Amino acid sequence: MVPPPSEETLSESTEANPQPQARAPGRIKESGTQSKKKERLRLMRDKQFHRQGFKEQRDEVEKTMDNEYQSALVKDLRSNQYVMERDGVRVHLAKDFGFCWGVERSIALAYEAVNHFPDKKVHITNELIHNPEVNDRLHDMKVNFIEKIPEEGNPNKKDFGTIGDGDVVILPAFGASFEEMQYLHKKNVEIVDTTCPWVSRVWNSVDMHQKKGMTSVIHGKYAHEETVATTSFCEDYICVKNKKEAQMVCDYILEGGDKEAFLKYFEKAVSSGFDPDKHLTKVGLANQTTMYKKETREIGQMLQKTMMKKYGPVDSKDHYMEFDTICDATQERQDAVTELVENTEKLGLDFILVVGGWDSSNTSHLLEIPVKAGIRAFHINRADCIKPDNTITHRNMSGDIVTESFMDMGKDVVLGITSGASTPDAAVQDTLSSVFLLKQLHAQAKE
């Protein structure tokens, strides 16, 4: 995996611009206007804003994380060309899987913060990452997860009333909204920012859109924590979650249509005062870092072709721009499970297991790859989804949690396995241990 840009570089280059009053498309924001980028940099320079962690805690935290999240079984798989046979089960592990650099960094920063402030109450504004084991561990460490209290018109409202003077507040790997950062800055609290640097790259992209007077088209899920943070740094934006919604945007750019119906459909996914007749004349594409990269590329091609058709090949460059903001780790994991899928017949795979939080976007996209290829696959969030009665509880492509029959016990089993970027190796080990144990129990019952 290519290392992310340095923290120092990101602090100067990856923040977003402000949301001034309505302006004509194409007009560049006046230089005298105080930008959100400048404001965020100002907040980050405060002595109570911590982004580099606490070095005196580093060695202890590293040992703790190794004990809690590493796996001897996974190390054996890696050293044996990602293949293992045990108890009538042959395992093929994807060659890229599990914790990415950004996730490990966020966990380490959170652990260091808890240790560094032993006498202070510690809060976090969201789940640190979308993984149940990690978030359960933070609960065990007495970290208070800020409660969401959604209301009409503000589905992301949170109860910050539990935060007291002098407390510690952790910002999760997904980042925090501009408004949350401003609010916390006004309180006398220590802020520990664990935002993944790859997420900050997206903020740099939407900043460029704003500078060029463009509306940000964000390929992402409008309610996802990362996208909520990103849109808070935008001026004008629209979120599209898939090619179907992107096609709706392209059709409107070319043909216009029923504005009221368009706005009704995207009412939760657009900026305040969004006008498709005005705000879709110049657009820039960015994406939630955990989305399916193939789909993002296809959406980019759709938008580019639309602008060429609308404005011609020469002028279209003034109406469309894009940046690749899918993080390397996400792409590597997608490529690795694609390799498993392409070799399913050769390897004789019966199914593929995808391990990771059910609300993890990057993990859900790993499931899409085998399912769309017609290969049996299961997305589980914990090892105990595999039951002693040979059933498995899993999240399907529609997002439903279902239970069904699992393995064919009349034969040796061949499986592929991968895990999301927010999933520790220990979760993969626990999952495989459950599979091995199930086969053992069946073999003993036959004797």
Side-chain angles (χ1 to χ4, degrees):
M1 182 177 69
V2 178
S6 71
E7 289 292 300
E8 181 179 355
T9 300
L10 283 165
S11 68
E12 297 299 328
S13 66
T14 59
E15 318 313 331
N17 271 330
Q19 186 171 343
Q21 297 303 310
R23 53 160 176 80
R27 180 178 140 205
I28 298 177
K29 173 179 59 61
E30 295 179 5
S31 60
T33 303
Q34 177 66 20
S35 73
K36 288 182 181 178
K37 174 181 179 178
K38 290 179 181 178
E39 175 65 5
R40 185 171 187 269
L41 290 174
R42 185 184 71 82
L43 300 181
M44 288 162 47
R45 286 191 288 267
D46 190 277
K47 65 180 182 180
Q48 290 181 290
F49 196 100
H50 309 278
R51 301 181 71 237
Q52 304 299 330
F54 305 95
K55 290 183 179 179
E56 74 278 6
Q57 306 294 338
R58 200 144 297 163
D59 289 344
E60 180 182 348
V61 165
E62 185 175 341
K63 292 176 184 176
T64 299
M65 289 178 61
D66 282 345
N67 290 335
E68 293 179 355
Y69 300 127
Q70 294 302 310
S71 159
L73 185 147
V74 169
K75 287 180 181 177
D76 288 345
L77 272 162
R78 277 197 175 103
S79 64
N80 195 42
Q81 298 183 315
Y82 301 89
V83 179
M84 172 181 289
E85 289 193 54
R86 182 180 297 180
D87 300 314
V89 180
R90 183 175 178 87
V91 176
H92 292 273
L93 176 64
K95 292 178 182 176
D96 280 294
F97 63 96
F99 273 174
C100 65
W101 179 91
V103 163
E104 287 192 276
R105 172 184 173 278
S106 292
I107 297 171
L109 290 174
Y111 277 31
E112 288 176 16
V114 172
N115 290 354
H116 184 76
F117 297 105
D119 300 322
K120 289 181 178 287
K121 187 173 182 179
V122 181
H123 310 264
I124 188 166
T125 61
N126 260 314
E127 291 185 338
L128 181 70
I129 58 173
H130 284 155
N131 178 265
E133 289 95 347
V134 172
N135 291 309
D136 285 351
R137 183 70 184 97
L138 290 174
H139 279 293
D140 292 342
M141 296 166 75
K142 308 303 181 185
V143 174
N144 174 53
F145 285 62
I146 300 297
E147 182 183 1
K148 291 184 179 181
I149 48 173
E151 61 183 19
E152 188 173 353
N154 187 7
N156 300 305
K157 184 178 180 181
K158 298 170 187 173
D159 181 12
F160 289 108
T162 58
I163 300 175
D165 189 68
D167 287 354
V168 178
V169 182
I170 297 172
L171 309 183
F174 315 110
S177 73
F178 178 70
E179 294 77 15
E180 287 180 353
M181 293 181 67
Q182 281 188 313
Y183 174 82
L184 293 170
H185 178 72
K186 293 174 183 177
K187 298 178 73 70
N188 179 31
V189 296
E190 303 287 341
I191 300 173
V192 179
D193 182 11
T194 80
T195 303
C196 174
W198 292 108
V199 172
S200 298
R201 292 180 68 195
V202 183
W203 299 345
N204 185 47
S205 295
V206 298
D207 175 44
M208 289 298 297
H209 298 163
Q210 315 310 317
K211 287 179 178 177
K212 292 183 179 292
M214 291 180 160
T215 294
S216 295
V217 177
I218 300 171
H219 178 211
K221 302 168 184 177
Y222 68 82
H224 189 279
E225 293 93 328
E226 180 189 324
T227 301
V228 169
T230 296
T231 57
S232 77
F233 289 100
C234 291
E235 180 175 347
D236 304 311
Y237 69 84
I238 182 169
C239 300
V240 295
K241 67 180 178 181
N242 51 34
K243 288 193 294 182
K244 173 189 171 184
E245 293 188 351
Q247 188 62 57
M248 293 173 66
V249 171
C250 291
D251 289 345
Y252 198 97
I253 291 171
L254 285 176
E255 303 167 8
D258 187 335
K259 182 193 292 191
E260 184 178 350
F262 184 90
L263 289 173
K264 178 64 177 175
Y265 183 89
F266 286 105
E267 63 180 340
K268 295 181 180 179
V270 294
S271 50
S272 177
F274 187 86
D275 182 346
D277 293 331
K278 181 171 67 173
H279 294 127
L280 293 180
T281 59
K282 296 180 68 174
V283 301
L285 179 66
N287 47 27
Q288 186 180 309
T289 59
T290 56
M291 298 301 283
Y292 189 27
K293 187 168 187 175
K294 181 180 178 182
E295 185 172 53
T296 298
R297 284 175 173 166
E298 291 172 349
I299 289 172
Q301 291 171 355
M302 291 164 63
L303 289 168
Q304 186 177 44
K305 289 177 181 178
T306 295
M307 290 308 190
M308 288 180 68
K309 188 172 182 180
K310 177 88 171 179
Y311 299 102
V314 176
D315 293 335
S316 63
K317 67 180 183 299
D318 296 323
H319 294 267
Y320 178 70
M321 68 185 300
E322 70 175 71
F323 298 93
D324 180 1
T325 50
I326 291 283
C327 80
D328 286 354
T330 297
Q331 183 58 39
E332 289 163 359
R333 281 144 189 75
Q334 290 174 1
D335 290 345
V337 77
T338 297
E339 183 181 0
L340 280 180
V341 166
E342 291 174 345
N343 289 281
T344 293
E345 187 173 345
K346 177 182 176 181
L347 299 174
L349 299 182
D350 296 306
F351 55 84
I352 292 176
L353 287 173
V354 179
V355 186
W358 279 334
D359 52 356
S360 166
S361 179
N362 79 85
T363 308
S364 68
H365 291 302
L366 295 179
L367 177 70
E368 288 180 21
I369 297 171
V371 169
K372 288 182 176 180
I375 296 167
R376 195 172 184 229
F378 307 98
H379 174 188
I380 63 174
N381 69 337
R382 296 177 184 266
D384 59 14
C385 288
I386 299 170
K387 310 296 183 183
D389 63 355
N390 193 29
T391 60
I392 185 168
T393 299
H394 64 103
R395 181 187 182 276
N396 62 22
M397 281 272 290
S398 300
D400 300 320
I401 309 302
V402 298
T403 300
E404 62 180 270
S405 179
F406 184 31
M407 294 188 290
D408 180 355
M409 291 298 188
K411 60 183 281 296
D412 286 350
V413 172
V414 183
L415 66 89
I417 189 167
T418 188
S419 57
S422 51
T423 306
D425 288 356
V428 174
Q429 173 171 308
D430 292 344
T431 296
L432 291 175
S433 296
S434 293
V435 173
F436 298 149
L437 179 59
L438 193 57
K439 285 290 285 182
Q440 289 174 8
L441 293 174
H442 179 77
Q444 292 170 4
K446 289 178 62 177
E447 293 176 357

